Amino acid sequence: MASTSSVTLSQALLSRAISSHASAQSSDHRPSLSTISFPGFSGLKSSIPRASSSCRRHPSRSNQKRQVRAAAVETIGTAAETSLVEKSVNTIRFLSIDAVEKANSGHPGLPMGCAPMGHILYDEVMRYNPKNPYWFNRDRFILSAGHGCMLQYALLHLAGYDSVLASFFHILSFFLKDLKSFRQWGSRTPGHPENFETTGVEVTTGPLGQGIANAVGLALAEKHLAARFNKPDNEIVDHYTYVILGDGCQMEGISNEACSLAGHWGLGKLIAFYDDNHISIDGDTEIAFTENVDTRFEGLGWHVIWVKNGNTGYDEIRAAIKEAKAVKDKPTLIKVTTTIGYGSPNKANSYSVHGSALGAKEVDATRKNLGWPYEPFHVPEDVKAHWSRHTPQGAALEAEWNAKFAEYEQKYKEEAAELKAIITGELPAGWEKALPTYTPESPADATRNLSQQNLNALVKVLPGLLGGSADLASSNMTLLKMYGDFQKDTPEERNIRFGVREHGMGAICNGIALHSPGFIPYCATFFVFTDYMRAAIRISALCEAGVIYVMTHDSIGLGEDGPTHQPIEHLASFRAMPNVLMLRPADGNETAGAYKVAVLNRKRPSILALSRQKLPQLPGTSIEGVEKGGYIVSDNSSGNNPNVILIGTGSELEIAAKAADELRKEGKTVRVVSFVSWELFDEQSDAYKESVLPSAVSARVSIEAGSTFGWAKIVGSKGKAIGIDRFGASAPAGKIYKEFGLTPEAVVAAAKELC
């Protein structure tokens, strides 16, 4: 039974991913793809001596060109080994060159320079199963410098990531058809790596710095699971996270935020390769980036190694990886000095090879320079034969792990069940019963406080729930009271202290979410500070990472802190972002409903906008109503034909309810609608939407303490939207609401103008 169960675990994860992809068709009817990954052997040579960081600059360009031309005859080990390695590396280079050339679009320089480290990682180091890219204990690889994605596509093609989806959907994934369709409509080789499109890509990268931050999240997830579930006699969680990042990633502030945390947390299984080629789009990095990266990363708590010859120094790269794996208490940065566009006689080491095709003449010259006699997209037979071993080896690695899990499950049933839930994403039966419920007699409270009640109830039943705040946990109310802090020496704990690093926090949570389907990460700050992390939230939406964003202090209701801290345009901006659930609950039941929705939506992020000020528990609100997005809270009309419909969200739903009471005293029939999530309401049937907002009723008034932008869609051309279309002010919350016209009296007056 144990053996069957463990095999089922891998099969369940694969079938769950396949089924998810099948149900998420893209616009051209191709199945959408989700997360994937990669692995790691050690078996490397002895360590190289640490190089002085003062020798940062490249040799002169004339010398570099001479070195490039000589590269084809440089040898390591035996001649046969050298010949096959170099042929494999050049296969990677020319698959990249040819794809970019055919598309007449792309970035050939990075793949040409990084091919040696890519080859060593995928061919010699990483553990993975090409036929089951979702195998849990695989190593993960992130190409943070996502513009160089042809490097990864070429590696995936050679490694055998071409049959999982083909066998289920009868399509080609990494056959040459897709390499030849690089950056074209319908291809699985888009212009930057996208995990939902391409089997073998872990996370969506492209915006520089996001990938290395995602990798920190992946490495955190591994360290956390290992601490929670490994036993002295069975280390069931044991994999590495590898990254390639470039100068652009180093310059972006998000990378420093995330790498600072990685050093603080001692993520020893995170190994980052810094493609130190000193070229960015505008030219040599000396025009804007001259800091000593080695010293900075040492200051961040990383182990730093310098590979001086990344072009042909295969043994140096191998030795650096071996040294990195020997360092258990720190992440490692391997600075690999490379030549961008290596092998190109006239464009190597220049910005002209960074972001455009080489051109036919230079491609021919590069073929001659590197002794490559083959036609475009050719993979030599001996290279194919060499790489083909990864299919049986990967299957054997997974089978070995399955047997190991079977033993684990026999000895540690409770832990195995929890780990299995995290691996598969299956939610425990009846988990939603843990959500607290409220009555109108329950005391008024801020929704940020009600949020904490929900988090602390859910963490008892959801093994994958963990998260934290950007140095605001005591204000966001996000502490999990029954757990301690995830720290270097206590990684099994589930409170994550991100410090004042909003952008890095969001991207790290993306990595956690994409590590395993059952992880449910949350992160928190003030709603206005989503401005600092918007790019990470957008990537959450794009790469289908179900992060829960707990955003408190959601309006001018925060009061005296003033306009710098009062969000105005934020609700509208996130409602405009695809694949995001923007939820603004009004009380306890709606807060519980928002959490239910957020937990269930594992392929889109949820943003919960929560109040600082206390709000009453309103009659008529419900968890079930939130799941519809918009629903009727109260109504004294009949025949689905009220005189006026009042629509509110969050703290303003109370104002709408009070206004309704006044209008009803005057004989009006009034419907009050809570519009907690526009996105969920849009997904309801036309019949349901008509039952809530009947088209025959044009007298509609909305009230929300934010921009009125977009509300015309809800209230119609004849309705009125009450809101704030300027920045806020510093004063007590009650005074601000009155001065900005967010009052029951204002709603009553607007309603009377319409009916």
Side-chain angles (χ1 to χ4, degrees):
M1 286 296 294
S3 176
T4 302
S5 174
S6 64
V7 172
T8 301
L9 178 57
S10 287
Q11 291 177 338
L13 184 57
L14 177 58
S15 63
R16 184 178 177 86
I18 294 297
S19 135
S20 168
H21 299 151
S23 64
Q25 298 288 324
S26 57
S27 59
D28 60 348
H29 306 293
R30 293 178 295 112
S32 157
L33 299 186
S34 204
T35 58
I36 301 124
S37 321
F38 316 93
F41 290 121
S42 37
L44 302 171
K45 309 284 178 158
S46 58
S47 299
I48 56 171
R50 286 285 303 282
S52 166
S53 58
S54 62
C55 302
R56 177 183 184 275
R57 305 309 303 164
H58 279 292
S60 71
R61 290 197 173 131
S62 60
N63 287 341
Q64 282 186 325
K65 289 179 181 177
R66 286 196 293 272
Q67 291 171 352
V68 168
R69 292 190 177 99
V73 296
E74 185 174 336
T75 61
I76 60 165
T78 66
E81 290 174 347
T82 301
S83 174
L84 187 56
V85 168
E86 290 189 343
K87 187 179 282 190
S88 176
V89 168
N90 281 333
T91 299
I92 297 163
R93 288 183 176 126
F94 281 99
L95 286 175
S96 303
I97 291 169
D98 295 338
V100 172
E101 197 66 26
K102 189 172 187 299
N104 194 27
S105 174
H107 300 74
L110 182 146
M112 294 167 73
C114 291
M117 65 179 96
H119 165 85
I120 289 170
L121 277 173
Y122 272 82
D123 189 52
E124 301 177 16
V125 175
M126 297 197 326
R127 295 175 298 173
Y128 54 89
N129 181 2
K131 304 312 176 190
N132 181 8
Y134 310 98
W135 169 45
F136 165 73
N137 206 40
R138 66 195 183 271
D139 289 339
R140 273 72 170 169
F141 172 80
I142 308 299
L143 183 63
S144 189
H147 56 275
C149 56
M150 268 310 306
L151 170 71
Q152 190 169 13
Y153 298 154
L155 289 164
L156 293 173
H157 175 61
L158 292 177
Y161 283 79
D162 59 7
S163 64
V164 173
L165 290 176
S167 64
F168 280 88
F169 301 117
H170 310 292
I171 62 174
L172 298 175
S173 178
F174 280 108
F175 291 130
L176 288 176
K177 167 185 175 290
D178 289 285
L179 297 181
K180 291 178 180 178
S181 299
F182 177 53
R183 288 187 162 219
Q184 305 307 301
W185 182 268
S187 170
R188 296 207 172 276
T189 50
H192 287 84
E194 296 172 0
N195 64 293
F196 55 90
E197 287 284 359
T198 308
T199 315
V201 171
E202 290 288 349
V203 301
T204 293
T205 59
L208 294 175
Q210 291 281 339
I212 178 63
N214 297 156
V216 172
L218 290 165
L220 179 153
E222 191 278 341
K223 182 167 184 171
H224 173 71
L225 292 179
R228 273 176 72 178
F229 296 108
N230 282 352
K231 303 296 181 181
D233 62 340
N234 194 324
E235 293 191 359
I236 198 64
V237 181
D238 178 21
H239 50 268
Y240 283 82
T241 302
Y242 298 97
V243 192
I244 291 178
L245 71 158
D247 288 305
C249 295
Q250 294 282 20
M251 289 186 239
E252 287 285 0
I254 185 176
S255 65
N256 198 69
E257 290 183 19
C259 290
S260 174
L261 282 166
H264 172 73
W265 289 327
L267 301 180
K269 288 188 175 177
L270 173 60
I271 300 175
F273 295 81
Y274 165 32
D275 178 27
D276 175 45
N277 63 40
H278 304 284
I279 297 292
S280 60
I281 290 177
D282 278 354
D284 195 299
T285 54
E286 65 188 8
I287 63 175
F289 185 58
T290 55
E291 69 186 47
N292 190 315
V293 173
D294 306 50
T295 301
R296 174 161 64 90
F297 269 77
E298 286 171 350
L300 294 176
W302 286 57
H303 180 65
V304 179
I305 307 168
W306 184 13
V307 173
K308 292 183 180 179
N309 177 13
N311 298 324
T312 59
Y314 308 116
D315 277 347
E316 289 184 60
I317 296 170
R318 293 181 179 111
I321 296 171
K322 182 177 181 179
E323 180 181 334
K325 286 192 167 188
V327 177
K328 307 294 186 183
D329 61 342
K330 294 181 179 182
T332 295
L333 180 77
I334 303 176
K335 183 175 81 169
V336 185
T337 298
T338 66
T339 301
I340 192 171
Y342 178 86
S344 170
N346 303 301
K347 294 189 175 183
N349 195 41
S350 72
Y351 69 90
S352 62
V353 78
H354 181 284
S356 58
L358 292 176
K361 289 184 179 179
E362 190 65 13
V363 170
D364 288 342
T366 304
R367 277 182 153 77
K368 291 176 184 176
N369 188 42
L370 292 179
W372 194 252
Y374 306 105
E375 72 271 11
F377 297 102
H378 180 78
V379 179
E381 290 302 320
D382 51 350
V383 173
K384 285 183 185 177
H386 176 72
W387 280 81
S388 68
R389 76 190 193 285
H390 290 291
T391 295
Q393 284 182 356
L397 285 168
E398 182 174 355
E400 180 184 357
W401 185 85
N402 285 338
K404 193 172 184 178
F405 186 84
E407 295 176 6
Y408 184 91
E409 195 169 26
Q410 282 186 329
K411 292 183 178 179
Y412 310 106
K413 287 182 170 55
E414 184 176 335
E415 293 93 332
E418 278 201 3
L419 178 57
K420 188 183 291 186
I422 293 171
I423 291 173
T424 64
E426 295 292 339
L427 294 171
W431 67 271
E432 68 279 2
K433 295 176 183 176
L435 292 166
T437 57
Y438 305 84
T439 69
E441 291 69 42
S442 301
D445 208 346
T447 51
R448 61 170 175 167
N449 295 333
L450 300 167
S451 166
Q452 185 170 54
Q453 293 172 20
N454 278 267
L455 283 171
N456 279 276
L458 288 172
V459 76
K460 297 175 183 177
V461 295
L462 298 176
L465 182 68
L466 76 169
S469 168
D471 198 49
L472 288 167
S474 59
S475 189
N476 299 143
M477 309 306 290
T478 49
L479 281 176
L480 303 174
K481 296 178 180 179
M482 62 187 293
Y483 289 99
D485 292 343
F486 177 99
Q487 295 289 356
K488 182 175 184 178
D489 297 324
T490 54
E492 70 280 3
E493 301 292 352
R494 290 160 75 173
N495 285 299
I496 304 176
R497 303 287 191 168
F498 289 103
V500 188
R501 302 181 181 93
E502 292 91 352
H503 198 180
M505 172 177 70
I508 288 169
C509 283
N510 285 339
I512 297 171
L514 293 173
H515 181 279
S516 293
F519 267 127
I520 306 174
Y522 68 88
C523 60
T525 185
F526 292 172
F527 191 31
V528 75
F529 297 140
T530 53
D531 287 337
Y532 283 118
M533 59 194 302
R534 185 173 301 273
I537 297 174
R538 187 175 189 271
I539 293 295
S540 297
L542 182 62
C543 69
E544 302 174 348
V547 178
I548 302 176
Y549 291 93
V550 181
M551 300 291 116
T552 69
H553 297 62
D554 68 336
S555 72
I556 58 170
L558 67 89
E560 293 86 346
D561 277 345
T564 60
H565 283 52
Q566 293 168 359
I568 300 298
E569 74 281 13
H570 299 71
L571 288 164
S573 70
F574 286 113
R575 287 168 181 156
M577 186 179 285
N579 201 42
V580 168
L581 290 176
M582 182 68 247
L583 300 124
R584 190 164 183 247
D587 64 2
N589 287 327
E590 287 202 346
T591 302
Y595 271 103
K596 182 178 180 181
V597 165
V599 169
L600 288 173
N601 278 269
R602 294 294 79 230
K603 286 194 170 293
R604 55 180 169 178
S606 300
I607 304 174
L608 278 60
L610 305 170
S611 75
R612 178 196 185 194
Q613 71 272 34
K614 289 185 176 182
L615 303 175
Q617 311 298 339
L618 297 170
T621 60
S622 70
I623 291 174
E624 297 73 26
V626 172
E627 295 178 84
K628 299 288 190 181
Y631 67 103
I632 299 169
V633 174
S634 67
D635 191 356
N636 68 328
S637 69
S638 60
N640 201 29
N641 191 30
N643 296 140
V644 65
I645 301 174
L646 307 182
I647 309 166
T649 76
S651 47
E652 289 71 67
L653 185 61
E654 176 193 6
I655 296 174
K658 287 181 177 179
D661 290 341
E662 293 303 313
L663 289 166
R664 288 168 186 156
K665 289 176 184 177
E666 299 181 16
K668 301 290 187 183
T669 58
V670 184
R671 174 176 294 176
V672 178
V673 171
S674 175
F675 224 66
V676 62
S677 170
W678 293 22
E679 299 81 19
L680 291 174
F681 187 76
D682 283 345
E683 293 169 6
Q684 305 309 308
S685 68
D686 289 342
Y688 177 79
K689 286 186 270 192
E690 179 67 16
S691 74
V692 176
L693 298 177
S695 53
V697 181
S698 61
R700 303 177 184 182
V701 179
S702 68
I703 180 165
E704 184 172 66
S707 170
T708 60
F709 184 86
W711 272 104
K713 171 184 174 183
I714 311 301
V715 300
S717 59
K718 296 181 180 180
K720 291 183 177 291
I722 298 173
I724 306 171
D725 291 312
R726 50 153 284 188
F727 290 122
S730 180
K735 178 66 172 176
I736 295 177
Y737 266 76
K738 183 177 180 180
E739 292 296 329
F740 279 94
L742 297 171
T743 63
E745 293 78 14
V747 176
V748 168
K752 286 181 176 180
E753 291 181 24
L754 300 175
C755 66

